[in-house]
Short mmCIF file of all heavy atoms in Angstrom, two decimals:
data_model
loop_
_atom_site.label_atom_id
_atom_site.label_comp_id
_atom_site.label_asym_id
_atom_site.label_seq_id
_atom_site.Cartn_x
_atom_site.Cartn_y
_atom_site.Cartn_z
N ARG U 300 -6.93 4.81 9.72
CA ARG U 300 -8.06 5.61 10.21
C ARG U 300 -9.34 4.78 10.25
O ARG U 300 -10.22 5.01 11.07
CB ARG U 300 -8.27 6.84 9.31
CG ARG U 300 -7.26 7.94 9.53
CD ARG U 300 -7.81 9.31 9.19
NE ARG U 300 -8.35 9.38 7.85
CZ ARG U 300 -9.59 9.71 7.56
NH1 ARG U 300 -10.44 9.98 8.53
NH2 ARG U 300 -9.99 9.77 6.31
N ARG U 301 -9.43 3.80 9.36
CA ARG U 301 -10.62 2.95 9.32
C ARG U 301 -10.60 1.89 10.42
O ARG U 301 -11.63 1.62 11.05
CB ARG U 301 -10.72 2.26 7.95
CG ARG U 301 -12.01 1.47 7.75
CD ARG U 301 -12.04 0.81 6.37
NE ARG U 301 -11.03 -0.22 6.26
CZ ARG U 301 -11.19 -1.48 6.72
NH1 ARG U 301 -12.32 -1.82 7.32
NH2 ARG U 301 -10.23 -2.36 6.57
N THR U 302 -9.43 1.31 10.67
CA THR U 302 -9.34 0.17 11.58
C THR U 302 -8.79 0.50 12.97
O THR U 302 -9.06 -0.21 13.93
CB THR U 302 -8.44 -0.93 10.98
OG1 THR U 302 -7.09 -0.42 10.86
CG2 THR U 302 -8.94 -1.34 9.61
N HIS U 303 -7.95 1.56 13.04
CA HIS U 303 -7.26 1.89 14.30
C HIS U 303 -6.47 0.68 14.82
O HIS U 303 -6.37 0.45 16.04
CB HIS U 303 -8.24 2.39 15.36
CG HIS U 303 -8.91 3.66 14.99
ND1 HIS U 303 -8.25 4.87 14.98
CD2 HIS U 303 -10.18 3.92 14.57
CE1 HIS U 303 -9.09 5.83 14.59
NE2 HIS U 303 -10.26 5.27 14.34
N ASP U 304 -5.91 -0.07 13.90
CA ASP U 304 -5.12 -1.24 14.24
C ASP U 304 -3.74 -0.81 14.75
O ASP U 304 -2.98 -0.15 14.03
CB ASP U 304 -4.98 -2.13 13.00
CG ASP U 304 -4.14 -3.37 13.27
OD1 ASP U 304 -4.22 -3.93 14.38
OD2 ASP U 304 -3.37 -3.78 12.38
N VAL U 305 -3.41 -1.19 15.98
CA VAL U 305 -2.15 -0.76 16.59
C VAL U 305 -0.95 -1.28 15.82
O VAL U 305 0.06 -0.59 15.66
CB VAL U 305 -2.08 -1.23 18.06
CG1 VAL U 305 -0.72 -0.90 18.66
CG2 VAL U 305 -3.19 -0.58 18.88
N ALA U 306 -1.04 -2.51 15.34
CA ALA U 306 0.06 -3.09 14.57
C ALA U 306 0.33 -2.28 13.30
O ALA U 306 1.49 -2.05 12.93
CB ALA U 306 -0.25 -4.55 14.22
N LEU U 307 -0.74 -1.84 12.66
CA LEU U 307 -0.58 -1.02 11.46
C LEU U 307 0.00 0.34 11.82
O LEU U 307 0.86 0.87 11.10
CB LEU U 307 -1.93 -0.84 10.76
CG LEU U 307 -1.93 0.01 9.48
CD1 LEU U 307 -0.95 -0.56 8.45
CD2 LEU U 307 -3.33 0.09 8.89
N ARG U 308 -0.46 0.91 12.93
CA ARG U 308 0.10 2.19 13.38
C ARG U 308 1.59 2.06 13.62
O ARG U 308 2.40 2.91 13.20
CB ARG U 308 -0.59 2.66 14.66
CG ARG U 308 -0.10 4.04 15.12
CD ARG U 308 -0.37 4.25 16.59
NE ARG U 308 0.45 3.35 17.40
CZ ARG U 308 0.34 3.24 18.73
NH1 ARG U 308 -0.57 3.94 19.37
NH2 ARG U 308 1.11 2.41 19.39
N ASN U 309 2.01 0.98 14.29
CA ASN U 309 3.43 0.77 14.57
C ASN U 309 4.23 0.61 13.28
O ASN U 309 5.38 1.05 13.19
CB ASN U 309 3.61 -0.46 15.46
CG ASN U 309 3.05 -0.24 16.86
OD1 ASN U 309 2.83 0.90 17.27
ND2 ASN U 309 2.82 -1.32 17.58
N LYS U 310 3.62 -0.03 12.29
CA LYS U 310 4.29 -0.19 11.00
C LYS U 310 4.53 1.17 10.35
O LYS U 310 5.61 1.43 9.80
CB LYS U 310 3.43 -1.06 10.09
CG LYS U 310 4.00 -1.25 8.69
CD LYS U 310 3.08 -2.10 7.82
CE LYS U 310 3.63 -2.24 6.40
NZ LYS U 310 2.73 -3.07 5.55
N ILE U 311 3.53 2.04 10.44
CA ILE U 311 3.67 3.38 9.87
C ILE U 311 4.74 4.16 10.62
O ILE U 311 5.58 4.84 10.03
CB ILE U 311 2.32 4.13 9.92
CG1 ILE U 311 1.29 3.42 9.04
CG2 ILE U 311 2.50 5.57 9.44
CD1 ILE U 311 -0.11 3.99 9.15
N VAL U 312 4.71 4.07 11.95
CA VAL U 312 5.68 4.78 12.79
C VAL U 312 7.10 4.34 12.43
O VAL U 312 8.01 5.16 12.26
CB VAL U 312 5.41 4.54 14.28
CG1 VAL U 312 6.58 5.04 15.13
CG2 VAL U 312 4.12 5.23 14.70
N GLU U 313 7.31 3.03 12.31
CA GLU U 313 8.64 2.50 11.97
C GLU U 313 9.12 3.03 10.62
O GLU U 313 10.31 3.29 10.43
CB GLU U 313 8.61 0.98 11.96
CG GLU U 313 8.46 0.36 13.34
CD GLU U 313 8.32 -1.15 13.27
OE1 GLU U 313 8.42 -1.70 12.14
OE2 GLU U 313 8.10 -1.78 14.32
N GLN U 314 8.19 3.20 9.71
CA GLN U 314 8.53 3.67 8.37
C GLN U 314 9.07 5.10 8.39
O GLN U 314 9.86 5.49 7.53
CB GLN U 314 7.28 3.59 7.48
CG GLN U 314 7.52 3.95 6.03
CD GLN U 314 6.29 3.69 5.17
OE1 GLN U 314 5.53 2.78 5.44
NE2 GLN U 314 6.11 4.50 4.14
N TYR U 315 8.64 5.89 9.40
CA TYR U 315 9.04 7.30 9.45
C TYR U 315 9.94 7.63 10.64
O TYR U 315 10.19 8.81 10.89
CB TYR U 315 7.79 8.18 9.47
CG TYR U 315 7.02 8.15 8.18
CD1 TYR U 315 5.90 7.31 8.04
CD2 TYR U 315 7.41 8.91 7.08
CE1 TYR U 315 5.20 7.26 6.84
CE2 TYR U 315 6.71 8.86 5.89
CZ TYR U 315 5.61 8.03 5.78
OH TYR U 315 4.91 7.98 4.59
N LEU U 316 10.43 6.61 11.32
CA LEU U 316 11.31 6.87 12.48
C LEU U 316 12.58 7.60 12.08
O LEU U 316 13.17 8.32 12.89
CB LEU U 316 11.67 5.55 13.17
CG LEU U 316 10.72 5.07 14.27
CD1 LEU U 316 11.14 3.70 14.77
CD2 LEU U 316 10.68 6.08 15.42
N TYR U 317 12.98 7.45 10.83
CA TYR U 317 14.20 8.12 10.38
C TYR U 317 14.06 9.64 10.50
O TYR U 317 15.05 10.35 10.75
CB TYR U 317 14.55 7.72 8.95
CG TYR U 317 13.68 8.35 7.88
CD1 TYR U 317 14.06 9.54 7.25
CD2 TYR U 317 12.47 7.77 7.52
CE1 TYR U 317 13.25 10.12 6.28
CE2 TYR U 317 11.66 8.35 6.55
CZ TYR U 317 12.05 9.50 5.93
OH TYR U 317 11.25 10.09 4.99
N ILE U 318 12.84 10.14 10.32
CA ILE U 318 12.63 11.59 10.44
C ILE U 318 12.84 12.02 11.87
O ILE U 318 13.48 13.05 12.15
CB ILE U 318 11.21 11.97 9.96
CG1 ILE U 318 11.04 11.64 8.48
CG2 ILE U 318 10.95 13.46 10.21
CD1 ILE U 318 9.66 11.97 7.93
N ALA U 319 12.34 11.23 12.82
CA ALA U 319 12.54 11.53 14.24
C ALA U 319 14.02 11.53 14.58
O ALA U 319 14.51 12.40 15.33
CB ALA U 319 11.79 10.51 15.10
N ALA U 320 14.76 10.56 14.03
CA ALA U 320 16.19 10.45 14.30
C ALA U 320 16.95 11.65 13.75
O ALA U 320 17.81 12.24 14.42
CB ALA U 320 16.74 9.15 13.71
N VAL U 321 16.64 12.01 12.53
CA VAL U 321 17.33 13.14 11.88
C VAL U 321 17.08 14.45 12.63
O VAL U 321 18.01 15.22 12.90
CB VAL U 321 16.87 13.28 10.41
CG1 VAL U 321 17.37 14.60 9.81
CG2 VAL U 321 17.38 12.12 9.58
N LEU U 322 15.83 14.68 13.00
CA LEU U 322 15.49 15.93 13.69
C LEU U 322 16.08 15.96 15.10
O LEU U 322 16.51 17.02 15.57
CB LEU U 322 13.97 16.10 13.75
CG LEU U 322 13.31 16.32 12.38
CD1 LEU U 322 11.79 16.36 12.52
CD2 LEU U 322 13.80 17.62 11.74
N ALA U 323 16.11 14.81 15.77
CA ALA U 323 16.70 14.76 17.11
C ALA U 323 18.19 15.10 17.05
O ALA U 323 18.71 15.83 17.90
CB ALA U 323 16.49 13.38 17.73
N LYS U 324 18.88 14.58 16.04
CA LYS U 324 20.32 14.84 15.90
C LYS U 324 20.61 16.32 15.66
O LYS U 324 21.67 16.82 16.04
CB LYS U 324 20.88 14.00 14.75
CG LYS U 324 20.98 12.52 15.07
CD LYS U 324 21.49 11.72 13.88
CE LYS U 324 21.55 10.23 14.20
NZ LYS U 324 21.98 9.43 13.03
N LYS U 325 19.69 17.02 15.03
CA LYS U 325 19.90 18.44 14.74
C LYS U 325 19.98 19.27 16.02
O LYS U 325 20.55 20.36 16.03
CB LYS U 325 18.75 18.97 13.88
CG LYS U 325 18.78 18.48 12.43
CD LYS U 325 17.62 19.03 11.63
CE LYS U 325 17.70 20.54 11.51
NZ LYS U 325 16.62 21.09 10.64
N PHE U 326 19.41 18.75 17.12
CA PHE U 326 19.39 19.51 18.37
C PHE U 326 20.40 19.00 19.40
O PHE U 326 20.41 19.47 20.53
CB PHE U 326 17.98 19.46 18.97
CG PHE U 326 16.98 20.28 18.20
CD1 PHE U 326 16.29 19.73 17.13
CD2 PHE U 326 16.72 21.60 18.55
CE1 PHE U 326 15.36 20.49 16.41
CE2 PHE U 326 15.80 22.36 17.84
CZ PHE U 326 15.13 21.80 16.77
N VAL U 327 21.25 18.05 19.01
CA VAL U 327 22.28 17.53 19.91
C VAL U 327 23.31 18.62 20.18
O VAL U 327 23.60 19.44 19.32
CB VAL U 327 22.96 16.29 19.30
CG1 VAL U 327 24.19 15.89 20.10
CG2 VAL U 327 21.99 15.12 19.25
N GLY U 328 23.86 18.63 21.40
CA GLY U 328 24.87 19.61 21.76
C GLY U 328 24.32 20.85 22.41
O GLY U 328 25.02 21.84 22.59
N ARG U 329 23.05 20.81 22.82
CA ARG U 329 22.42 21.96 23.47
C ARG U 329 22.03 21.66 24.91
O ARG U 329 21.13 22.28 25.47
CB ARG U 329 21.19 22.40 22.67
CG ARG U 329 21.49 22.71 21.22
CD ARG U 329 20.28 23.29 20.50
NE ARG U 329 20.51 23.43 19.07
CZ ARG U 329 19.66 24.00 18.23
NH1 ARG U 329 18.51 24.50 18.68
NH2 ARG U 329 19.91 24.09 16.94
#
Side-chain angles (χ1 to χ4, degrees):
R300 284 207 306 122
R301 186 180 67 82
T302 64
H303 296 288
D304 179 36
V305 174
L307 180 57
R308 184 202 67 185
N309 292 342
K310 178 182 178 180
I311 296 173
V312 169
E313 289 175 5
Q314 184 173 328
Y315 292 97
L316 271 175
Y317 75 94
I318 297 179
V321 169
L322 294 175
K324 287 178 182 177
K325 288 180 64 176
F326 288 87
V327 170
R329 304 186 188 186

